Amino acid sequence: VQLQASGGGLVQAGGSLRLSCTASGSIFMLNTLGWFRQAPGKQRELVAGTNSVGDINYADSVKGRFTISRDDAKRTVVLQMNSLKPEDTAVYYCNAALRSSAWGSWRDYWGQGTQVTVSS
């Protein structure tokens, strides 16, 4: 199983970026899909997550600015980021908890990370 993330880049404060992450490989069922970020010198933190029944959770710092969505048929999770701030600068990682078969256990997978830089 692989997670391929895309969409990072450099943007001015107040701008928008859209991150996308697609899972490929042997996937039987998806559970949680989410985005984490890690800024230099800081711990990785949850930005937004969604589970298989549609519950969504956002970090307080991004509420009202970021929107997470998922398309299980396409095995994709998208993070729409609006009103970006310099403090949003970080490497963003997508995460998926999934099962590769009906008999397999739930496992966590990570994408390769995509850099988001917001200039002031």
Side-chain angles (χ1 to χ4, degrees), residues 84-102:
L84 282 160
K85 304 175 181 180
E87 50 264 43
D88 294 318
T89 296
V91 178
Y92 284 69
Y93 298 90
C94 60
N95 171 267
L98 58 89
R99 292 167 64 184
S100 294
S101 70

Side-chain angles (χ1 to χ4, degrees), residues 13-104:
S16 298
L17 284 174
R18 182 177 181 271
L19 305 183
S20 180
C21 178
T22 300
S24 62
S26 177
I27 298 172
F28 174 74
M29 184 178 293
L30 293 169
N31 188 2
T32 57
L33 295 171
W35 290 92
F36 289 71
R37 67 186 180 188
Q38 188 166 19
K42 295 188 177 181
Q43 289 188 331
R44 191 174 295 190
E45 62 175 358
L46 174 68
V47 177
T50 173
N51 64 16
S52 59
V53 296
D55 297 324
I56 293 177
N57 184 38
Y58 292 102
D60 288 343
S61 59
V62 307
K63 284 180 180 177
R65 300 188 298 121
F66 291 11
T67 302
I68 188 170
S69 60
R70 62 189 282 169
D71 184 335
D72 284 14
K74 295 181 179 179
R75 300 173 174 179
T76 297
V77 59
V78 171
L79 185 68
Q80 177 65 44
M81 305 185 294
N82 300 327
S83 303
L84 282 160
K85 304 175 181 180
E87 50 264 43
D88 294 318
T89 296
V91 178
Y92 284 69
Y93 298 90
C94 60
N95 171 267
L98 58 89
R99 292 167 64 184
S100 294
S101 70
W103 304 273

